[in-house]
Every structure is written in structure tokens, then in C-alpha cells.
Amino acid sequence: MAATVPENAEMIKRIRKLRGQLAAVERSLASNGDCAKQLMQLAALRGGVNSLMREVLEIHIRFHLTDGSKERIAPELAEDLLGLVRSYLK
């Protein structure tokens, strides 16, 4: 991946937050916590993973399929593809 240092730092911060959310779900399950709260935590976790995946895909598309890549595609096509990715991973 060709993310910049600030992008990588931000993604690492997001992964650490996801790790904390997952640990919270694990603690809740281990202590026989409230199912509704567990489901809300899992939904938040899923949203966070989807958001991170969308960001990594966007970086990949921009770096590997546009300027400077061997398999270059038109910028308009790249934006269309990014729009599809954003819609799919909401």
C-alpha cells in the first residue's frame, strides 16, 4: 500500500480503537452482559471495520489504478469505482 505516514498513523489509531471495541465485546460476553448492548457494540465494530476497509480500498484504487501505475485507468473511472466502494461499504 502507498498510504502516507499521516494516513498510516490514522489507520493504526483506528485499528487500536477497533481492538478496544472487540475487547469490550469479549468482556461483556464473558460476564454474561446484556445482549442488546453486545449487539450495539458489534454493530459499531462492524461499521468501524467497514470504514477502515473502505479507506484502504480507496488508497489502493488511487495509487494502483491512477497516476503513476502500470495499469492506469481514467480518473473518471477511478472516481466511479470509488463511489461504488463508498456505497457498498456504508
Side-chain angles (χ1 to χ4, degrees), residues 1 9 16 20-21 24 27 32-33 46 59 65 74 84 90:
M1 178 185 342
R16 290 180 179 148
Q21 289 175 312
R27 286 190 304 272
N32 203 21
R46 181 182 57 194
I59 291 168
L65 299 179
L84 289 170
K90 273 191 175 178

Side-chain angles (χ1 to χ4, degrees), residues 34-70:
D34 180 43
C35 293
K37 288 182 181 179
Q38 292 168 354
L39 288 169
M40 287 177 56
Q41 288 173 316
L42 288 167
L45 187 60
R46 181 182 57 194
V49 169
N50 283 346
S51 177
L52 180 62
M53 188 165 43
R54 181 178 58 237
E55 188 172 336
V56 171
L57 276 168
E58 285 187 24
I59 291 168
H60 175 78
I61 289 167
R62 289 187 195 285
F63 180 75
H64 292 289
L65 299 179
T66 58
D67 296 336
S69 70
K70 290 192 317 188

